[in-house]
Amino acid sequence: MVQEWQPDAIVRIKLDQIKKDFFDYIKKNIDKIDSNVPVFFGHITATLEKTLPDINDDLYDKFIDTITARVLDASKRSTEVSFVEKLFEHAIRNKRKRKGRTIYDILLGLKMINTGKYSEAIEQLKPHRVVDAIICPSISYCYFVLSTQQGDESDAAGRTVRGPNQMALAAREQMIELIRLNPPVNRLKDLEVVDDPRINKVFWFMIKQSIEWFPSERELIRIGLDKASRDGMSDIKEELLGIAIERFPNDMYFLRELYKLKLEKRDAGGVAGVVKQMTQQYPEELEPLYYGMKLSVITARVETYYRFRKLALIKKMPLNVLVLLDFAFELMSGKQYEALACLEEIKVKLGPRHYYATLLEYVAHDFLSEDEKKVKQAKRAMIDSIDQYCLKLLKIKDQ
């Protein structure tokens, strides 16, 4: 019988459900799994072949990695290197591409940190520093802990040497390596193989340590902000931005991130303050003016919008951006007739790309709904869509 084709999105939904079922099984039957790993992997492959026989190799192998990571985390034998090696051996044997040892080496290295095997973890993790931004801080943490266990060093004359010992210097060196290598943030988490709260604590501990060690290195703060944003950690993000703005007051990346944070917190006064600081630091740039106009759209403040719009015209902001913001402003101000007039202007300005105006028109209709939730969703969709389009037109990118 020919299997019915399914979109990848549907396959992923089904795969997520299977994953949840296996996670629950692992939690309840870890002793049974520990005693017979081959049977467990046979159960995994049989389930996948029966439920999703046409799943592609990448999704199949990623699933094996995810389940293996969960078993390692739950296992009572995870401190036994021989058991871990056997677990990984069976995992690789049951993958379709029969490769991907790197993931397992990293898992073992991180497990060694959790069990206090710091020297072994260093050697295990060092070859994989380019894989994910958590690796260098993890190695640095190992050196940091070892440095606290190392006695005072002496020079040739037998005098005690003041300052960081060799292990402490190695810890600092790894954080500099993090800047030099610039590995991706959350790659292992996105692959669903590492999301260990203990390792995340290690990452943040070392990021904060290194910011003290190297106060002039903006990249350490940038990497921290990237991870905080991806993990939804607004408190840490706010803390890092406070340090960043104090040390690098004219850095547009940090000002941009602070603008986003204030906007997320609905702090209109704070957003206005950031726009003012941007304008002072970059008086000739369009970006601060755009952010000022965007804030005026959200708050529907007429005087502020017209003031920023006048400056934007003087600075020659693209007309496509202006007509989109005009439309958004009139709509947010409750002026449907004026908004529709702006929409016609958008169609003219966009030319062959007027199909975007058709989507805006559909969203605009929802502003008339009596359902407050629907209106709120329409406002968010309209502002997010126009914002992304305008940022692209203005060539504003995160740096």
Side-chain angles (χ1 to χ4, degrees), residues 259-314:
Y259 175 92
K260 294 177 187 176
L261 182 65
K262 297 292 184 184
L263 210 55
E264 288 171 9
K265 291 180 174 291
R266 299 182 179 180
D267 180 1
V271 176
V274 177
V275 171
K276 182 179 179 181
Q277 188 172 351
M278 284 180 173
T279 305
Q280 291 172 342
Q281 298 291 344
Y282 299 92
E284 301 303 317
E285 296 293 327
L286 290 174
E287 189 171 352
L289 296 178
Y290 170 73
Y291 291 140
M293 293 181 73
K294 178 184 171 183
L295 175 61
S296 303
V297 167
I298 294 171
T299 57
R301 298 185 62 175
V302 178
E303 291 183 5
T304 308
Y305 183 78
Y306 288 164
R307 177 166 57 85
F308 278 114
R309 194 184 192 284
K310 184 177 179 180
L311 289 171
L313 276 171
I314 294 171

Side-chain angles (χ1 to χ4, degrees), residues 129-130 133 177-185 219 222-223:
R129 291 177 294 180
V130 297
E177 281 294 283
L178 174 64
I179 298 171
R180 185 183 69 82
L181 296 171
N182 192 26
V185 171
E219 284 299 290
R222 183 196 63 76
I223 292 168

Side-chain angles (χ1 to χ4, degrees), residues 77-89:
R77 300 181 61 189
S78 61
T79 57
E80 301 174 25
V81 175
S82 60
F83 170 79
V84 175
E85 287 291 345
K86 183 175 75 171
L87 177 68
F88 292 165
E89 179 185 332

